[in-house]
PDB file of all heavy atoms in Angstrom:
ATOM      1  N   ASP F 860      21.707 159.332 183.364  1.00 98.00           N
ATOM      2  CA  ASP F 860      20.450 160.030 183.125  1.00 98.00           C
ATOM      3  C   ASP F 860      19.350 158.966 183.058  1.00 98.00           C
ATOM      4  O   ASP F 860      19.642 157.773 182.870  1.00 98.00           O
ATOM      5  CB  ASP F 860      20.546 160.808 181.805  1.00 98.00           C
ATOM      6  CG  ASP F 860      19.236 161.434 181.395  1.00 98.00           C
ATOM      7  OD1 ASP F 860      18.652 162.170 182.215  1.00 98.00           O
ATOM      8  OD2 ASP F 860      18.782 161.170 180.269  1.00 98.00           O
ATOM      9  N   ILE F 861      18.103 159.382 183.212  1.00 97.00           N
ATOM     10  CA  ILE F 861      17.001 158.405 183.180  1.00 97.00           C
ATOM     11  C   ILE F 861      16.319 158.389 181.818  1.00 97.00           C
ATOM     12  O   ILE F 861      16.445 157.434 181.058  1.00 97.00           O
ATOM     13  CB  ILE F 861      15.976 158.690 184.307  1.00 97.00           C
ATOM     14  CG1 ILE F 861      16.618 158.463 185.685  1.00 97.00           C
ATOM     15  CG2 ILE F 861      14.746 157.777 184.143  1.00 97.00           C
ATOM     16  CD1 ILE F 861      15.701 158.740 186.858  1.00 97.00           C
ATOM     17  N   ASP F 862      15.574 159.440 181.485  1.00 96.00           N
ATOM     18  CA  ASP F 862      14.753 159.441 180.271  1.00 96.00           C
ATOM     19  C   ASP F 862      15.619 159.468 179.020  1.00 96.00           C
ATOM     20  O   ASP F 862      16.442 160.367 178.831  1.00 96.00           O
ATOM     21  CB  ASP F 862      13.809 160.644 180.274  1.00 96.00           C
ATOM     22  CG  ASP F 862      12.806 160.594 181.411  1.00 96.00           C
ATOM     23  OD1 ASP F 862      12.068 159.604 181.488  1.00 96.00           O
ATOM     24  OD2 ASP F 862      12.773 161.532 182.228  1.00 96.00           O
ATOM     25  N   GLY F 863      15.432 158.483 178.165  1.00 95.00           N
ATOM     26  CA  GLY F 863      16.190 158.405 176.923  1.00 95.00           C
ATOM     27  C   GLY F 863      17.524 157.702 177.069  1.00 95.00           C
ATOM     28  O   GLY F 863      18.147 157.366 176.061  1.00 95.00           O
ATOM     29  N   THR F 864      17.963 157.475 178.306  1.00 96.00           N
ATOM     30  CA  THR F 864      19.247 156.802 178.552  1.00 96.00           C
ATOM     31  C   THR F 864      19.019 155.425 179.161  1.00 96.00           C
ATOM     32  O   THR F 864      19.443 154.418 178.609  1.00 96.00           O
ATOM     33  CB  THR F 864      20.134 157.650 179.489  1.00 96.00           C
ATOM     34  OG1 THR F 864      20.385 158.922 178.901  1.00 96.00           O
ATOM     35  CG2 THR F 864      21.459 156.944 179.763  1.00 96.00           C
ATOM     36  N   LEU F 865      18.369 155.390 180.315  1.00 97.00           N
ATOM     37  CA  LEU F 865      18.021 154.110 180.938  1.00 97.00           C
ATOM     38  C   LEU F 865      16.721 153.555 180.373  1.00 97.00           C
ATOM     39  O   LEU F 865      16.580 152.343 180.192  1.00 97.00           O
ATOM     40  CB  LEU F 865      17.880 154.280 182.444  1.00 97.00           C
ATOM     41  CG  LEU F 865      19.166 154.508 183.238  1.00 97.00           C
ATOM     42  CD1 LEU F 865      18.842 154.884 184.676  1.00 97.00           C
ATOM     43  CD2 LEU F 865      20.061 153.276 183.200  1.00 97.00           C
ATOM     44  N   LEU F 866      15.765 154.448 180.110  1.00 97.00           N
ATOM     45  CA  LEU F 866      14.432 153.990 179.729  1.00 97.00           C
ATOM     46  C   LEU F 866      13.690 155.072 178.964  1.00 97.00           C
ATOM     47  O   LEU F 866      14.102 156.233 178.941  1.00 97.00           O
ATOM     48  CB  LEU F 866      13.641 153.595 180.980  1.00 97.00           C
ATOM     49  CG  LEU F 866      13.473 154.673 182.073  1.00 97.00           C
ATOM     50  CD1 LEU F 866      12.291 155.626 181.797  1.00 97.00           C
ATOM     51  CD2 LEU F 866      13.301 154.034 183.432  1.00 97.00           C
ATOM     52  N   ASN F 867      12.614 154.668 178.355  1.00 96.00           N
ATOM     53  CA  ASN F 867      11.635 155.592 177.776  1.00 96.00           C
ATOM     54  C   ASN F 867      10.263 155.215 178.314  1.00 96.00           C
ATOM     55  O   ASN F 867       9.935 154.026 178.406  1.00 96.00           O
ATOM     56  CB  ASN F 867      11.645 155.518 176.245  1.00 96.00           C
ATOM     57  CG  ASN F 867      12.882 156.167 175.656  1.00 96.00           C
ATOM     58  OD1 ASN F 867      13.055 157.382 175.712  1.00 96.00           O
ATOM     59  ND2 ASN F 867      13.772 155.352 175.094  1.00 96.00           N
ATOM     60  N   THR F 868       9.486 156.199 178.722  1.00 96.00           N
ATOM     61  CA  THR F 868       8.147 155.914 179.235  1.00 96.00           C
ATOM     62  C   THR F 868       7.140 155.928 178.091  1.00 96.00           C
ATOM     63  O   THR F 868       7.224 156.770 177.187  1.00 96.00           O
ATOM     64  CB  THR F 868       7.729 156.922 180.313  1.00 96.00           C
ATOM     65  OG1 THR F 868       7.919 158.256 179.826  1.00 96.00           O
ATOM     66  CG2 THR F 868       8.568 156.729 181.569  1.00 96.00           C
ATOM     67  N   ARG F 869       6.199 154.985 178.154  1.00 95.00           N
ATOM     68  CA  ARG F 869       5.175 154.847 177.115  1.00 95.00           C
ATOM     69  C   ARG F 869       3.798 155.148 177.695  1.00 95.00           C
ATOM     70  O   ARG F 869       2.825 154.443 177.450  1.00 95.00           O
ATOM     71  CB  ARG F 869       5.209 153.430 176.536  1.00 95.00           C
ATOM     72  CG  ARG F 869       6.571 152.982 176.017  1.00 95.00           C
ATOM     73  CD  ARG F 869       7.151 153.923 174.976  1.00 95.00           C
ATOM     74  NE  ARG F 869       8.411 153.421 174.430  1.00 95.00           N
ATOM     75  CZ  ARG F 869       9.202 154.131 173.638  1.00 95.00           C
ATOM     76  NH1 ARG F 869       8.875 155.378 173.313  1.00 95.00           N
ATOM     77  NH2 ARG F 869      10.322 153.610 173.182  1.00 95.00           N
ATOM     78  N   ASP F 870       3.720 156.205 178.483  1.00 96.00           N
ATOM     79  CA  ASP F 870       2.468 156.596 179.122  1.00 96.00           C
ATOM     80  C   ASP F 870       2.463 158.121 179.226  1.00 96.00           C
ATOM     81  O   ASP F 870       3.406 158.781 178.801  1.00 96.00           O
ATOM     82  CB  ASP F 870       2.364 155.968 180.518  1.00 96.00           C
ATOM     83  CG  ASP F 870       3.495 156.433 181.422  1.00 96.00           C
ATOM     84  OD1 ASP F 870       3.388 157.550 181.979  1.00 96.00           O
ATOM     85  OD2 ASP F 870       4.502 155.708 181.559  1.00 96.00           O
ATOM     86  N   ALA F 871       1.412 158.664 179.805  1.00 95.00           N
ATOM     87  CA  ALA F 871       1.309 160.115 179.945  1.00 95.00           C
ATOM     88  C   ALA F 871       1.126 160.533 181.395  1.00 95.00           C
ATOM     89  O   ALA F 871       0.615 161.621 181.679  1.00 95.00           O
ATOM     90  CB  ALA F 871       0.144 160.635 179.101  1.00 95.00           C
ATOM     91  N   VAL F 872       1.545 159.691 182.345  1.00 96.00           N
ATOM     92  CA  VAL F 872       1.349 159.995 183.760  1.00 96.00           C
ATOM     93  C   VAL F 872       2.075 161.275 184.159  1.00 96.00           C
ATOM     94  O   VAL F 872       1.477 162.187 184.752  1.00 96.00           O
ATOM     95  CB  VAL F 872       1.805 158.806 184.637  1.00 96.00           C
ATOM     96  CG1 VAL F 872       1.782 159.193 186.112  1.00 96.00           C
ATOM     97  CG2 VAL F 872       0.916 157.598 184.400  1.00 96.00           C
ATOM     98  N   HIS F 873       3.359 161.362 183.868  1.00 96.00           N
ATOM     99  CA  HIS F 873       4.152 162.550 184.210  1.00 96.00           C
ATOM    100  C   HIS F 873       3.610 163.777 183.475  1.00 96.00           C
ATOM    101  O   HIS F 873       3.446 164.860 184.056  1.00 96.00           O
ATOM    102  CB  HIS F 873       5.612 162.280 183.825  1.00 96.00           C
ATOM    103  CG  HIS F 873       6.591 163.298 184.306  1.00 96.00           C
ATOM    104  ND1 HIS F 873       7.944 163.231 184.009  1.00 96.00           N
ATOM    105  CD2 HIS F 873       6.454 164.419 185.053  1.00 96.00           C
ATOM    106  CE1 HIS F 873       8.571 164.246 184.564  1.00 96.00           C
ATOM    107  NE2 HIS F 873       7.691 164.991 185.185  1.00 96.00           N
ATOM    108  N   TYR F 874       3.309 163.615 182.220  1.00 95.00           N
ATOM    109  CA  TYR F 874       2.808 164.697 181.361  1.00 95.00           C
ATOM    110  C   TYR F 874       1.505 165.277 181.924  1.00 95.00           C
ATOM    111  O   TYR F 874       1.375 166.502 182.086  1.00 95.00           O
ATOM    112  CB  TYR F 874       2.587 164.134 179.962  1.00 95.00           C
ATOM    113  CG  TYR F 874       2.058 165.102 178.934  1.00 95.00           C
ATOM    114  CD1 TYR F 874       2.925 165.885 178.184  1.00 95.00           C
ATOM    115  CD2 TYR F 874       0.688 165.192 178.681  1.00 95.00           C
ATOM    116  CE1 TYR F 874       2.437 166.756 177.214  1.00 95.00           C
ATOM    117  CE2 TYR F 874       0.201 166.059 177.717  1.00 95.00           C
ATOM    118  CZ  TYR F 874       1.072 166.842 176.991  1.00 95.00           C
ATOM    119  OH  TYR F 874       0.596 167.698 176.047  1.00 95.00           O
ATOM    120  N   HIS F 875       0.552 164.434 182.232  1.00 96.00           N
ATOM    121  CA  HIS F 875      -0.735 164.920 182.729  1.00 96.00           C
ATOM    122  C   HIS F 875      -0.600 165.532 184.133  1.00 96.00           C
ATOM    123  O   HIS F 875      -1.253 166.538 184.446  1.00 96.00           O
ATOM    124  CB  HIS F 875      -1.772 163.798 182.741  1.00 96.00           C
ATOM    125  CG  HIS F 875      -2.221 163.388 181.377  1.00 96.00           C
ATOM    126  ND1 HIS F 875      -2.542 164.298 180.382  1.00 96.00           N
ATOM    127  CD2 HIS F 875      -2.405 162.145 180.824  1.00 96.00           C
ATOM    128  CE1 HIS F 875      -2.902 163.650 179.291  1.00 96.00           C
ATOM    129  NE2 HIS F 875      -2.826 162.350 179.533  1.00 96.00           N
ATOM    130  N   ALA F 876       0.238 164.924 184.974  1.00 97.00           N
ATOM    131  CA  ALA F 876       0.447 165.476 186.313  1.00 97.00           C
ATOM    132  C   ALA F 876       1.038 166.879 186.230  1.00 97.00           C
ATOM    133  O   ALA F 876       0.636 167.785 186.974  1.00 97.00           O
ATOM    134  CB  ALA F 876       1.359 164.560 187.118  1.00 97.00           C
ATOM    135  N   PHE F 877       1.985 167.049 185.335  1.00 96.00           N
ATOM    136  CA  PHE F 877       2.615 168.363 185.142  1.00 96.00           C
ATOM    137  C   PHE F 877       1.572 169.409 184.771  1.00 96.00           C
ATOM    138  O   PHE F 877       1.466 170.465 185.407  1.00 96.00           O
ATOM    139  CB  PHE F 877       3.685 168.246 184.053  1.00 96.00           C
ATOM    140  CG  PHE F 877       4.417 169.531 183.754  1.00 96.00           C
ATOM    141  CD1 PHE F 877       5.628 169.812 184.361  1.00 96.00           C
ATOM    142  CD2 PHE F 877       3.893 170.461 182.861  1.00 96.00           C
ATOM    143  CE1 PHE F 877       6.304 170.991 184.086  1.00 96.00           C
ATOM    144  CE2 PHE F 877       4.557 171.640 182.578  1.00 96.00           C
ATOM    145  CZ  PHE F 877       5.773 171.910 183.198  1.00 96.00           C
ATOM    146  N   HIS F 878       0.794 169.135 183.746  1.00 96.00           N
ATOM    147  CA  HIS F 878      -0.129 170.155 183.244  1.00 96.00           C
ATOM    148  C   HIS F 878      -1.273 170.432 184.210  1.00 96.00           C
ATOM    149  O   HIS F 878      -1.674 171.591 184.378  1.00 96.00           O
ATOM    150  CB  HIS F 878      -0.676 169.744 181.873  1.00 96.00           C
ATOM    151  CG  HIS F 878       0.330 169.885 180.782  1.00 96.00           C
ATOM    152  ND1 HIS F 878       0.854 168.814 180.108  1.00 96.00           N
ATOM    153  CD2 HIS F 878       0.942 170.986 180.266  1.00 96.00           C
ATOM    154  CE1 HIS F 878       1.722 169.239 179.217  1.00 96.00           C
ATOM    155  NE2 HIS F 878       1.797 170.548 179.296  1.00 96.00           N
ATOM    156  N   SER F 879      -1.795 169.405 184.862  1.00 96.00           N
ATOM    157  CA  SER F 879      -2.901 169.653 185.776  1.00 96.00           C
ATOM    158  C   SER F 879      -2.431 170.469 186.986  1.00 96.00           C
ATOM    159  O   SER F 879      -3.138 171.380 187.445  1.00 96.00           O
ATOM    160  CB  SER F 879      -3.533 168.332 186.227  1.00 96.00           C
ATOM    161  OG  SER F 879      -2.597 167.516 186.908  1.00 96.00           O
ATOM    162  N   ALA F 880      -1.237 170.181 187.493  1.00 96.00           N
ATOM    163  CA  ALA F 880      -0.717 170.949 188.629  1.00 96.00           C
ATOM    164  C   ALA F 880      -0.400 172.379 188.224  1.00 96.00           C
ATOM    165  O   ALA F 880      -0.657 173.331 188.984  1.00 96.00           O
ATOM    166  CB  ALA F 880       0.522 170.267 189.200  1.00 96.00           C
ATOM    167  N   MET F 881       0.167 172.573 187.052  1.00 96.00           N
ATOM    168  CA  MET F 881       0.499 173.925 186.592  1.00 96.00           C
ATOM    169  C   MET F 881      -0.765 174.769 186.427  1.00 96.00           C
ATOM    170  O   MET F 881      -0.781 175.971 186.721  1.00 96.00           O
ATOM    171  CB  MET F 881       1.261 173.847 185.271  1.00 96.00           C
ATOM    172  CG  MET F 881       2.641 173.228 185.396  1.00 96.00           C
ATOM    173  SD  MET F 881       3.856 174.299 186.197  1.00 96.00           S
ATOM    174  CE  MET F 881       4.286 175.359 184.837  1.00 96.00           C
ATOM    175  N   GLN F 882      -1.835 174.127 185.980  1.00 96.00           N
ATOM    176  CA  GLN F 882      -3.084 174.862 185.816  1.00 96.00           C
ATOM    177  C   GLN F 882      -3.677 175.232 187.172  1.00 96.00           C
ATOM    178  O   GLN F 882      -4.120 176.363 187.383  1.00 96.00           O
ATOM    179  CB  GLN F 882      -4.074 174.007 185.007  1.00 96.00           C
ATOM    180  CG  GLN F 882      -5.243 174.787 184.416  1.00 96.00           C
ATOM    181  CD  GLN F 882      -6.316 175.114 185.443  1.00 96.00           C
ATOM    182  OE1 GLN F 882      -6.557 174.321 186.361  1.00 96.00           O
ATOM    183  NE2 GLN F 882      -6.950 176.262 185.295  1.00 96.00           N
ATOM    184  N   ARG F 883      -3.654 174.296 188.118  1.00 96.00           N
ATOM    185  CA  ARG F 883      -4.231 174.558 189.434  1.00 96.00           C
ATOM    186  C   ARG F 883      -3.434 175.608 190.216  1.00 96.00           C
ATOM    187  O   ARG F 883      -4.011 176.488 190.848  1.00 96.00           O
ATOM    188  CB  ARG F 883      -4.293 173.266 190.254  1.00 96.00           C
ATOM    189  CG  ARG F 883      -5.320 172.264 189.792  1.00 96.00           C
ATOM    190  CD  ARG F 883      -5.542 171.177 190.837  1.00 96.00           C
ATOM    191  NE  ARG F 883      -4.316 170.468 191.175  1.00 96.00           N
ATOM    192  CZ  ARG F 883      -3.873 169.400 190.530  1.00 96.00           C
ATOM    193  NH1 ARG F 883      -4.551 168.917 189.507  1.00 96.00           N
ATOM    194  NH2 ARG F 883      -2.749 168.793 190.919  1.00 96.00           N
ATOM    195  N   VAL F 884      -2.129 175.513 190.173  1.00 96.00           N
ATOM    196  CA  VAL F 884      -1.287 176.362 191.019  1.00 96.00           C
ATOM    197  C   VAL F 884      -1.042 177.721 190.390  1.00 96.00           C
ATOM    198  O   VAL F 884      -1.097 178.761 191.071  1.00 96.00           O
ATOM    199  CB  VAL F 884       0.048 175.657 191.323  1.00 96.00           C
ATOM    200  CG1 VAL F 884       0.978 176.576 192.119  1.00 96.00           C
ATOM    201  CG2 VAL F 884      -0.199 174.365 192.098  1.00 96.00           C
ATOM    202  N   TYR F 885      -0.752 177.751 189.101  1.00 96.00           N
ATOM    203  CA  TYR F 885      -0.400 179.016 188.438  1.00 96.00           C
ATOM    204  C   TYR F 885      -1.504 179.538 187.503  1.00 96.00           C
ATOM    205  O   TYR F 885      -1.373 180.643 186.967  1.00 96.00           O
ATOM    206  CB  TYR F 885       0.869 178.839 187.602  1.00 96.00           C
ATOM    207  CG  TYR F 885       2.123 178.598 188.409  1.00 96.00           C
ATOM    208  CD1 TYR F 885       2.765 177.362 188.370  1.00 96.00           C
ATOM    209  CD2 TYR F 885       2.690 179.604 189.192  1.00 96.00           C
ATOM    210  CE1 TYR F 885       3.929 177.133 189.098  1.00 96.00           C
ATOM    211  CE2 TYR F 885       3.853 179.385 189.918  1.00 96.00           C
ATOM    212  CZ  TYR F 885       4.467 178.153 189.871  1.00 96.00           C
ATOM    213  OH  TYR F 885       5.618 177.931 190.588  1.00 96.00           O
ATOM    214  N   GLY F 886      -2.553 178.741 187.278  1.00 95.00           N
ATOM    215  CA  GLY F 886      -3.553 179.131 186.290  1.00 95.00           C
ATOM    216  C   GLY F 886      -2.978 179.130 184.888  1.00 95.00           C
ATOM    217  O   GLY F 886      -3.436 179.862 184.019  1.00 95.00           O
ATOM    218  N   CYS F 887      -1.985 178.276 184.656  1.00 94.00           N
ATOM    219  CA  CYS F 887      -1.217 178.265 183.411  1.00 94.00           C
ATOM    220  C   CYS F 887      -1.770 177.234 182.452  1.00 94.00           C
ATOM    221  O   CYS F 887      -1.806 176.034 182.769  1.00 94.00           O
ATOM    222  CB  CYS F 887       0.252 177.976 183.734  1.00 94.00           C
ATOM    223  SG  CYS F 887       1.294 177.886 182.282  1.00 94.00           S
ATOM    224  N   GLU F 888      -2.182 177.669 181.267  1.00 93.00           N
ATOM    225  CA  GLU F 888      -2.718 176.763 180.255  1.00 93.00           C
ATOM    226  C   GLU F 888      -1.690 176.407 179.186  1.00 93.00           C
ATOM    227  O   GLU F 888      -1.970 175.598 178.304  1.00 93.00           O
ATOM    228  CB  GLU F 888      -3.942 177.406 179.578  1.00 93.00           C
ATOM    229  CG  GLU F 888      -5.081 177.738 180.525  1.00 93.00           C
ATOM    230  CD  GLU F 888      -5.802 176.497 181.052  1.00 93.00           C
ATOM    231  OE1 GLU F 888      -5.542 175.390 180.515  1.00 93.00           O
ATOM    232  OE2 GLU F 888      -6.614 176.628 181.984  1.00 93.00           O
ATOM    233  N   ASN F 889      -0.517 177.003 179.238  1.00 93.00           N
ATOM    234  CA  ASN F 889       0.520 176.708 178.242  1.00 93.00           C
ATOM    235  C   ASN F 889       1.003 175.269 178.404  1.00 93.00           C
ATOM    236  O   ASN F 889       0.912 174.685 179.470  1.00 93.00           O
ATOM    237  CB  ASN F 889       1.686 177.679 178.381  1.00 93.00           C
ATOM    238  CG  ASN F 889       1.288 179.100 178.044  1.00 93.00           C
ATOM    239  OD1 ASN F 889       0.683 179.786 178.855  1.00 93.00           O
ATOM    240  ND2 ASN F 889       1.614 179.533 176.852  1.00 93.00           N
ATOM    241  N   ARG F 890       1.539 174.709 177.306  1.00 94.00           N
ATOM    242  CA  ARG F 890       1.939 173.308 177.276  1.00 94.00           C
ATOM    243  C   ARG F 890       3.451 173.170 177.156  1.00 94.00           C
ATOM    244  O   ARG F 890       4.134 174.051 176.642  1.00 94.00           O
ATOM    245  CB  ARG F 890       1.272 172.595 176.094  1.00 94.00           C
ATOM    246  CG  ARG F 890      -0.201 172.912 175.900  1.00 94.00           C
ATOM    247  CD  ARG F 890      -1.037 172.456 177.081  1.00 94.00           C
ATOM    248  NE  ARG F 890      -1.198 171.001 177.101  1.00 94.00           N
ATOM    249  CZ  ARG F 890      -1.890 170.364 178.049  1.00 94.00           C
ATOM    250  NH1 ARG F 890      -2.462 171.034 179.047  1.00 94.00           N
ATOM    251  NH2 ARG F 890      -2.003 169.054 178.010  1.00 94.00           N
TER     252      ARG F 890
END
């Protein structure tokens, strides 16, 4: 596995990409 097994990320790149795309594509504001 990657996250929590090989490494931990100390940034919000994946997090922000997820939420911005979900808002644009689905109009979804949930977190």
Side-chain angles (χ1 to χ4, degrees):
D860 173 54
I861 294 179
D862 296 303
T864 300
L865 288 171
L866 57 84
N867 287 291
T868 51
R869 306 304 184 189
D870 61 81
V872 172
H873 189 182
Y874 179 88
H875 289 315
F877 180 95
H878 286 113
S879 61
M881 293 287 280
Q882 197 282 326
R883 289 193 302 272
V884 176
Y885 292 112
C887 178
E888 300 289 349
N889 294 79
R890 316 297 286 180

